[in-house]
Amino acid sequence: MLRALLQLLYPHACELCGRDLSPSEQLLCLRCSMRMPVSGFHAVRGNPVERSLWGRVPVEFASAGYVFSRHSGLQSLIHLFKYGARRDVAVHLGRQLGLQLREQGVSREWTGVLPVPLHPAKLRKRGYNQAEALAEGIAGVEGMPGLVKGLVRQVAAESQTKRSRIGRWENVSAGYAWRGALPQTGAHLLLVDDVLTTGATIEACGRAVLEAAPETKLSVCCLAWAG
């Protein structure tokens, strides 16, 4: 009764359709949640995310929780956390990723969750790193490993959105490095980013980690695949 009264006094609306949320719903109503474009990639070996990284950087597992499309509810949520200062949206979606991974039984061997970093200038401008918020959501799922920091963005890059595949790689290829304490021997890190298109950022980050700690294993999970 108390929860129902609080909901009446302080209604929360679905971020996509504007309907009031029930006490059991978070961020999205059940109908909008059911319409989210879940990829189903986690259980598929050789899925599109994995294939996009073949021959570029060695990974144990690679996947994305959703399939990106323009003018979709998923795009609206991504815009909220990338350009609307809605860190809570990214954490929530990261938690959904963590739940997907746990339900598929692919999260048991990771020793840490590693977000793709932002350059300090962009971090100051945006106020937070959306990949770190996603990683925080993943790590917040019961039984998941904690956040790992050490990968840094050393060179500020221009926006990737209008670049060709080669241009994206040239824009990020030398921009990442490992700073600080190295991962422990035998570490298996889950590298996390928001949207994967060509895989240039993930490749550059993966190479930076493996150059610093060659014995480290890498897996990859992005919020959405837009290949």
Side-chain angles (χ1 to χ4, degrees):
M1 290 179 63
L2 178 59
R3 292 180 69 184
L5 179 60
L6 289 172
Q7 181 72 9
L8 179 64
L9 295 174
Y10 304 101
H12 299 284
C14 173
E15 294 290 347
L16 293 181
C17 72
R19 292 187 178 190
D20 286 347
L21 298 178
S22 72
S24 62
E25 295 170 332
Q26 294 183 351
L27 197 78
L28 301 179
C29 68
L30 180 60
R31 186 172 70 170
C32 288
S33 293
M34 295 296 290
R35 290 178 174 176
M36 288 286 284
V38 175
S39 69
F41 291 168
H42 300 329
V44 180
R45 300 298 295 178
N47 66 62
V49 177
E50 234 177 55
R51 291 200 303 270
S52 72
L53 298 173
W54 282 350
R56 299 170 67 181
V57 62
V59 296
E60 305 295 316
F61 165 87
S63 188
Y66 302 95
V67 176
F68 179 87
S69 62
R70 295 190 181 278
H71 312 299
S72 65
L74 178 61
Q75 184 183 36
S76 297
L77 295 175
I78 291 172
H79 277 206
L80 276 176
F81 71 67
K82 287 190 78 168
Y83 310 114
R86 290 292 305 277
R87 190 179 190 279
D88 62 309
V89 174
V91 173
H92 174 82
L93 292 173
R95 181 168 178 80
Q96 300 312 302
L97 281 179
L99 291 171
Q100 290 177 11
L101 293 167
R102 189 178 67 181
E103 288 168 3
Q104 292 295 331
V106 295
S107 61
R108 291 171 292 181
E109 296 182 356
W110 298 320
T111 58
V113 184
L114 176 66
V116 168
L118 284 180
H119 186 269
K122 182 171 282 189
L123 183 60
R124 287 192 297 271
K125 181 178 180 180
R126 185 168 292 171
Y128 71 97
N129 177 0
Q130 73 275 2
E132 185 173 321
L134 289 167
E136 180 183 313
I138 292 174
V141 174
E142 184 179 358
M144 295 289 287
L147 229 61
V148 173
K149 296 185 180 181
L151 191 61
V152 297
R153 183 73 159 108
Q154 347 180 69
V155 180
E158 298 176 4
S159 173
Q160 296 277 64
T161 55
K162 295 183 180 180
R163 289 178 175 267
S164 67
R165 183 178 295 270
I166 294 175
R168 286 170 185 252
W169 166 243
E170 291 174 343
N171 194 33
V172 302
S173 59
Y176 297 93
W178 191 274
R179 294 287 182 268
L182 293 174
Q184 294 181 349
T185 302
H188 186 174
L189 303 180
L190 178 65
L191 183 60
V192 175
D193 203 5
D194 50 10
V195 181
L196 185 140
T197 49
T198 65
T201 298
I202 291 296
E203 180 183 356
C205 288
R207 287 187 178 188
V209 173
L210 295 176
E211 285 174 6
E215 300 303 316
T216 299
K217 292 182 179 180
L218 283 178
S219 288
V220 171
C221 187
C222 295
L223 176 66
W225 172 72

